[in-house]
Amino acid sequence: MSEFRIDQIKSQDASRGPDVAGITTFTGTSGIVMPSGGTYYGRYLTEDPFYDSMILGIPFNEPIKQVFFDYSKYAITMDPIGSINIDTGESKFYGSSATLDGNGDGVRTPLSGSSYSLGLGSFTAEAWIRCTDFSHANYFLVANTVDEVSNDGYGFTFGVTTTAGEFTVNVQRNNGSDLTRIFGTTSPGVKCTETFETDTWTHICFIFDATYGPQGEYRAYKNGKLIGKKDDSPRRNFGETRFYVGKTHNTTHNFEGQLQDVKLYRGAVKYPRDGFDVPGQMAR
């Protein structure tokens, strides 16, 4: 397997993880700018043919609390919210994961700009999730920030909802109006053919394919299996936004459990329409 290797690693003290004081970025051998403090568990990324389209990529593999890096080409340090921490007792990969208690924990991108606009084109969002409680909605990726960005564009909420672990995606204006349900139990949302289980690591994926049909098609996947599709929703312009991971901007719907390898690709339909083999870890 070829790799995106990192050619410069900061000196590390095994007793405390990476030296995060004055974290800087540097360029690896493939020209990828990486946060140098975020390479404690792995010295390269596995190859991703869609890397140039990745605008968010968070492995949650850091060994220290509340320092979370984005491994996309933007190479940012995420802003922590609440008591989100690293859990070394539960993980899909790396021996650690992000753990959230459902009370407003999460991370977010720095205040947004055009770099985080999805526009009218295709995009792919995916993650490994392990929900521990379905008594409330568990949104783990949100592009909907009514208090911080232009109200002209649209955002989305993506996660697993309260009704027996139903896959759910909602689209609405950033000012909270014009709600369109894409997947879920409430009309006109499509009820997916499978639900999610608690305490189980599961790959979840949401794709908007702008090239399919006159309006484009939304698709839902569980562990690579197509479990829902919808091609009759109005096409929306996902404009300037700020991404939240693990919560909504107003702390009304919060994820409870563990997260790993949260990724978002702009302008890309990463997987075949009918299904795919689930990906391995994004970092090494």
Side-chain angles (χ1 to χ4, degrees):
M1 176 182 294
S2 58
E3 305 108 9
F4 292 123
R5 290 195 175 274
I6 303 304
D7 62 356
Q8 179 182 352
I9 304 296
K10 292 184 72 174
S11 61
Q12 297 170 359
D13 177 349
S15 66
R16 60 187 292 268
D19 181 4
V20 298
I23 290 172
T24 59
T25 60
F26 61 89
T27 303
T29 55
S30 296
I32 299 172
V33 177
M34 295 286 293
S36 59
T39 53
Y40 180 75
Y41 275 108
R43 300 197 173 193
Y44 60 92
L45 295 180
T46 56
E47 185 173 10
D48 184 341
F50 292 90
Y51 185 84
D52 285 344
S53 298
M54 184 190 292
I55 61 172
L56 200 64
I58 314 171
F60 290 113
N61 64 343
E62 290 80 13
I64 56 179
K65 297 179 179 181
Q66 300 217 329
V67 179
F68 305 103
F69 296 105
D70 165 32
Y71 281 15
S72 79
K73 58 188 177 183
Y74 295 135
I76 60 173
T77 302
M78 303 293 289
D79 294 338
I81 305 169
S83 58
I84 180 172
N85 280 314
I86 287 295
D87 184 352
T88 58
E90 184 61 56
S91 68
K92 176 65 180 177
F93 308 118
Y94 318 119
S96 65
S97 64
T99 184
L100 303 93
D101 63 11
N103 292 316
D105 298 346
V107 296
R108 63 186 177 185
T109 57
L111 200 56
S112 63
S114 60
S115 60
Y116 288 111
S117 173
L118 297 175
L120 292 165
S122 303
F123 62 88
T124 299
E126 64 179 325
W128 284 93
I129 66 173
R130 181 180 182 271
C131 291
T132 56
D133 186 358
F134 287 145
S135 66
H136 54 87
N138 283 267
Y139 291 130
F140 73 86
L141 181 60
V142 176
N144 183 5
T145 58
V146 61
D147 56 342
E148 296 174 280
V149 298
S150 167
N151 290 334
D152 294 335
Y154 283 78
F156 61 79
T157 54
F158 173 28
V160 181
T161 194
T162 55
T163 309
E166 290 282 354
F167 191 111
T168 180
V169 171
N170 295 319
V171 170
Q172 64 190 90
R173 281 192 181 277
N174 283 333
N175 64 7
S177 67
D178 198 13
L179 172 66
T180 301
R181 301 188 186 278
I182 307 300
F183 296 111
T185 56
T186 304
S187 179
V190 170
K191 180 179 173 62
C192 292
T193 58
E194 292 188 14
T195 58
F196 288 73
E197 302 78 31
T198 56
D199 303 317
T200 303
W201 280 105
T202 308
H203 186 263
I204 186 170
C205 181
F206 161 48
I207 289 176
F208 175 65
D209 183 351
T211 68
Y212 190 92
Q215 301 294 339
E217 184 178 61
Y218 293 93
R219 300 173 196 146
Y221 298 88
K222 175 189 176 185
N223 287 332
K225 180 180 180 180
L226 179 66
I227 61 172
K229 56 185 184 293
K230 185 175 176 61
D231 63 3
D232 59 355
S233 295
R235 188 184 293 257
R236 300 305 191 196
N237 181 9
F238 295 95
E240 181 184 359
T241 193
R242 188 179 198 179
F243 289 103
Y244 284 71
V245 177
K247 65 183 296 296
T248 54
H249 77 280
N250 56 3
T251 318
T252 57
H253 300 292
N254 306 313
F255 186 88
E256 185 169 353
Q258 287 80 34
L259 293 174
Q260 200 92 79
D261 284 8
V262 178
K263 294 180 280 186
L264 179 65
Y265 301 82
R266 176 175 54 207
V269 177
K270 185 179 179 183
Y271 297 114
R273 183 172 184 265
D274 293 334
F276 54 89
D277 293 333
V278 296
Q281 62 196 59
M282 66 173 287
R284 294 290 184 182

